[in-house]
């Protein structure tokens, strides 16, 4: 048989097929044997069985469930509705107030034509945090700009219960106010107040309140900065906690909460262009500052501030002799300090 006939014969084809099968089987067996030691049969592969380069990586820190945090704090955050009696000027006949304000009548030097005013019942809406209970009296902390000069105050709990509240005390300097209501119902949750000094930049926080009247709204973010100074209404508060958790009108007086479900701040104000909504710049009053205010409101009706007084005068002869400084030049200074001042 010629070589050409041999290559085209049926026996040569079968021989090649068997040879290929033997080689493939050998390679498969070698591959299986090589990996049988790395992944033993009948065992589940875990991180400890992986190569050292992978198992040495540090595990990620689990973020606590926001659901659990919100569930704990929501019942202690309330809706605060206030009504105030205000007087507004009566517009001229046939002329609405904005037009009259922008285009005053000639010869009137910008004064309204009618000196009369009309009484209106103005409604305001904000939030508050239940911070204390003494007997049947429940205390709610909110902002001074929420309580304002309200004639009537209503507190609404997350479960829909309503209570008529009264003002205990307020402090424009810190923009804080304390209101209270009475109830014999023991099922009134009180918030846990945390330590605002422990708040660090990057910590997760949630803001709870009633923005635009949407009760019990929860938003999440982080602590953007701590100890902000020279900001806020009147630039009188130097311990703001800055956060990017969404805070909008109506959130004022609500709670800024850490992942332990502790209140670390009272939401106060936002930076927004042209009075708009949240742009990620929200500020809360540090709760450590508010703790003393709560006590002062209950005990004195106002925040008690310390003061230092100094009086300087010439050492006239009689005084110089009494003080043993006769013949000496200079002035005598008297100082006095108190930890409290009269009510303001």
């Amino acid at each position: 048989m010629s070589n050409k006939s041999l290559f085209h014969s049926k026996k040569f084809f079968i021989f090649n097929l068997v040879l290929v099968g033997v080689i493939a089987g050998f390679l498969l067996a070698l591959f299986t044997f090589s990996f049988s030691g790395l992944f033993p049969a009948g065992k589940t592969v875990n991180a400890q069985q992986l190569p050292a380069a992978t198992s040495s990586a540090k595990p990620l820190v689990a973020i606590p469930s926001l659901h659990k945090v919100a569930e704990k704090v929501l019942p202690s955050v309330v809706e605060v509705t206030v009504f105030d009696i205000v007087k507004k000027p009566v517009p001229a006949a046939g002329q609405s107030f904005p037009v009259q304000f922008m285009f005053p009548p000639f010869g009137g030097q910008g004064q309204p034509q009618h000196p009369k005013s009309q009484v209106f019942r103005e409604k305001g809406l904000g939030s508050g945090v239940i911070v204390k209970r003494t007997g049947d009296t429940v205390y709610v902390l909110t902002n001074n700009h929420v309580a304002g000069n309200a004639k009537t105050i209503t507190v609404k709990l997350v479960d829909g219960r309503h209570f008529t509240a009264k003002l205990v005390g307020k402090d424009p300097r810190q923009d804080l106010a304390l209101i209270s209501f009475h109830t014999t119902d023991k099922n009134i949750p009180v918030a846990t107040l945390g330590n605002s000094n422990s708040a660090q930049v990057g910590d997760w926080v949630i803001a709870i309140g009633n923005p635009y009247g949407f009760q019990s709204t929860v938003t999440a973010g982080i602590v953007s900065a701590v100890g902000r100074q020279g900001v806020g209404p009147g630039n009188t508060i130097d311990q703001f906690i800055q956060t990017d958790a969404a805070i909008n009108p109506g959130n004022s007086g609500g709670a800024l909460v850490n992942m332990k479900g502790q209140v670390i701040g009272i939401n106060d104000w936002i930076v927004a262009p042209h009075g708009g909504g949240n742009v990620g710049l929200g500020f809360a009053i540090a709760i450590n500052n508010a703790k003393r205010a709560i006590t002062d409101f209950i005990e004195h009706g106002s925040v008690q501030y310390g003061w230092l007084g100094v009086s300087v005068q010439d050492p006239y002869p009689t005084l110089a002799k009494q003080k043993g400084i006769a013949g000496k030049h200079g002035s005598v200074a008297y100082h006095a300090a108190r930890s409290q001042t009269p009510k303001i």
Side-chain angles (χ1 to χ4, degrees), residues 198-211:
S198 64
Q200 299 182 12
V201 175
D203 286 350
W204 283 97
V205 289
I206 63 174
I208 304 178
N210 309 286

Side-chain angles (χ1 to χ4, degrees), residues 164-343:
T164 299
K166 67 176 183 178
L167 181 68
V168 177
K170 61 179 182 177
D171 184 56
R173 179 175 176 180
Q174 294 189 58
D175 197 21
L176 290 172
L178 192 70
I179 60 177
S180 68
F181 63 89
H182 291 268
T183 178
T184 57
D185 190 348
K186 302 303 180 183
N187 186 26
I188 303 292
V190 178
T192 301
L193 304 186
N195 178 14
S196 54
N197 290 340
S198 64
Q200 299 182 12
V201 175
D203 286 350
W204 283 97
V205 289
I206 63 174
I208 304 178
N210 309 286
Y212 297 106
F214 292 98
Q215 189 177 10
S216 303
T217 295
V218 178
T219 56
I222 63 170
V223 174
S224 303
V226 294
R228 283 294 193 205
Q229 300 181 0
V231 293
N235 298 335
T236 59
I237 305 171
D238 60 359
Q239 288 297 323
F240 271 121
I241 299 174
Q242 182 181 332
T243 179
D244 66 350
I247 297 175
N248 288 289
N251 271 115
S252 293
L256 187 69
V257 185
N258 62 20
M259 291 298 99
K260 295 180 181 179
Q262 301 170 335
V263 178
I264 60 171
I266 300 299
N267 300 325
D268 190 49
W269 71 292
I270 62 174
V271 173
H274 309 297
N278 171 72
V279 292
L281 291 172
F283 297 86
I285 302 169
I287 198 64
N288 284 11
N289 286 2
K291 288 177 181 178
R292 178 185 171 186
I294 295 171
T295 302
D296 283 350
F297 284 142
I298 295 174
E299 295 181 356
H300 307 285
S302 62
V303 175
Q304 305 295 289
Y305 291 103
W307 60 269
L308 175 66
V310 177
S311 176
V312 180
Q313 67 181 63
D314 293 329
Y316 55 87
T318 303
L319 177 63
K321 184 177 180 180
Q322 291 175 349
K323 299 299 181 180
I325 56 175
K328 296 183 179 181
H329 299 282
S331 299
V332 178
Y334 296 90
H335 70 86
R338 286 186 179 181
S339 59
Q340 295 180 344
T341 58
K343 294 181 180 181

